Amino acid sequence: MPSDPEPVAIPPEQPQSEDPQGVTLCAGEEAFLPWLREDLERLCLEEGKLTQDEAEMFREFCRLLSTYLHLDFHGNLRTIEELYAHFDPDRETVPLGDAAGSHQDELEVVRCFRELAERSNYYEISAKMIEHCLDAVTLIDLKTKVELDDFDHVVCYARGDIHSETTVRKMWKTRKLELDVLQRVVLLLKYKNVAYFARTGRPRKEELRSDLIYTFYYKHVPKYDLEFLFPNVEIGMNLKDKLLLGVPAIGGSILVLTKLVPQILIITGLVVFLVAGPEAARRMGVSDESVNQVLPAVTALLGLTIALGGFAFKQWNAIRRKRFEFLKNVAEQLFYRKLANNQAVFNRLMSSAEAEESKEMILALYQLWTGPEEGQTAAGLDRRLEDWIQRRLDAKVDFDIDGPISYLTRLSGSPPGLGETVLLDTDEDGRMCPAPLPEAVALMRHLVTNSALGVNPSPASSSASSSTSGE
């Protein structure tokens, strides 16, 4: 089995490229921030732009903001769990009312899946890209087919488009293979109803129900092996495998048939001798002596027939064994790459979205607190953050500024002794002005306390979906 691909260092620049058919092959710069929040917080403080007291307040603010986000996301998770319970294939609880979810609930589950993926800084993989993968080969050299029309919903997102090296075995030697790898892939599928499969004659796995929604979470997926993530993938032999099995079969069949033909002629002559008489048999070139030797001929024919049948069985068994090897290879690839499925996928996406937005908000506020006093516009802050990440981390990202700004402007409250306080305000010119650090810390203490007690509902974070970064 090929070894698990090892990620390489994030390059300073990863330009977007397309193949001649216009299908995007490389995602280019992503919004994903592949660093821990604590490491980014430490990196900010290492610049020395904050005094010792301010640095301590900044640390406390980061902890409070992360706590508040966790409480907020936990509330959203409970809502999604209740909504998805109607469609969860792994559901353990017994519904007291109608077990089936409505069509509106189904659409809401799909919407929540998309929103969580985008807030986690995933990018969507289109159906065109998936179809393009069917014609490309990387780790698993098989002929494949996936019928996307079998599904009502196909939603696929990925994150972490990297170049990697892996070791594969070809024939009697091993060699290194360079390939494009998606570090994380999430997939949502919902099958069409039984009537569709009856009408089209398409094969359908009985265990996959049309009233349920299946979600999958994978790691280190070769970009051009995406089709193997689909449960309805149809596997066949490529041209090389067909030749390896077909050429020996044809050659062996010809060899056996050449030995059978003389015996068949003798038996045919015997039949003519018995039915039409000796003269007709002689006209066919069958002598009386050949007729007398028919028993050895029949014995030889029977032996050759058994040999031909054994050869055919051997070839059929080789094809069957080859198919089992294909299925085993695919199963191993998926086994070592699957991280979660169904409800667990929503849990992991929620955790990832929480981490990404926490990092984005902390970096944005740090740049505002240490930047020009007159404030910055969203576009200017976006460029400042991308330049800072390239300078300090030697990486290019397409920073998502709209998502964190939309969330931060909703955070407001009345901390004791301060009155109404807004964490991030915007003036008429679109310049953003954050609350001073002491007031920001007091506000977050107030919001965390009220959120934990259920006194003050959190801002509608579920509506603050991740969007593309500012131009």
Side-chain angles (χ1 to χ4, degrees), residues 272-310:
V272 173
F273 180 85
L274 296 174
V275 175
E279 292 297 328
R282 292 191 188 96
R283 285 196 296 271
M284 290 185 60
V286 180
S287 63
D288 295 341
E289 183 180 356
S290 298
V291 173
N292 293 332
Q293 297 177 354
V294 69
L295 184 59
V298 171
T299 303
L301 178 62
L302 182 60
L304 289 173
T305 303
I306 294 174
L308 180 61

Side-chain angles (χ1 to χ4, degrees), residues 362-401:
I362 288 172
L363 289 179
L365 285 171
Y366 171 77
Q367 292 298 329
L368 288 171
W369 278 323
T370 59
E373 293 185 1
E374 65 271 15
Q376 301 175 66
T377 63
L381 179 60
D382 184 71
R383 289 191 297 269
R384 183 181 176 92
L385 283 163
E386 291 174 357
D387 292 343
W388 185 85
I389 290 173
Q390 183 175 8
R391 185 178 70 255
R392 297 303 307 273
L393 296 165
D394 193 27
K396 291 184 71 68
V397 298
D398 183 17
F399 196 90
D400 171 25
I401 194 62

Side-chain angles (χ1 to χ4, degrees), residues 1 36 117 150 157 159 170 213 235 265 285 287 313 334 371 448:
M1 175 186 167
L36 289 174
D150 288 352
Y157 280 81
R159 189 176 74 180
K170 293 289 186 180
I213 296 177
I235 301 174
L265 289 176
S287 63
F313 176 78
L334 298 184
V448 168

Side-chain angles (χ1 to χ4, degrees), residues 3 5 26 44 74 92 122 124 148 159 174 194 200 204 215 328 339 392 422 438 446 453 468:
S3 61
C26 184
C44 292
H74 179 73
E92 293 181 303
Y122 283 73
E124 187 168 8
L148 297 181
R159 189 176 74 180
T174 59
V194 179
T200 59
R204 174 179 172 270
T215 60
K328 178 176 178 291
L339 296 175
R392 297 303 307 273
V422 180
H446 173 73
L453 297 175
T468 57

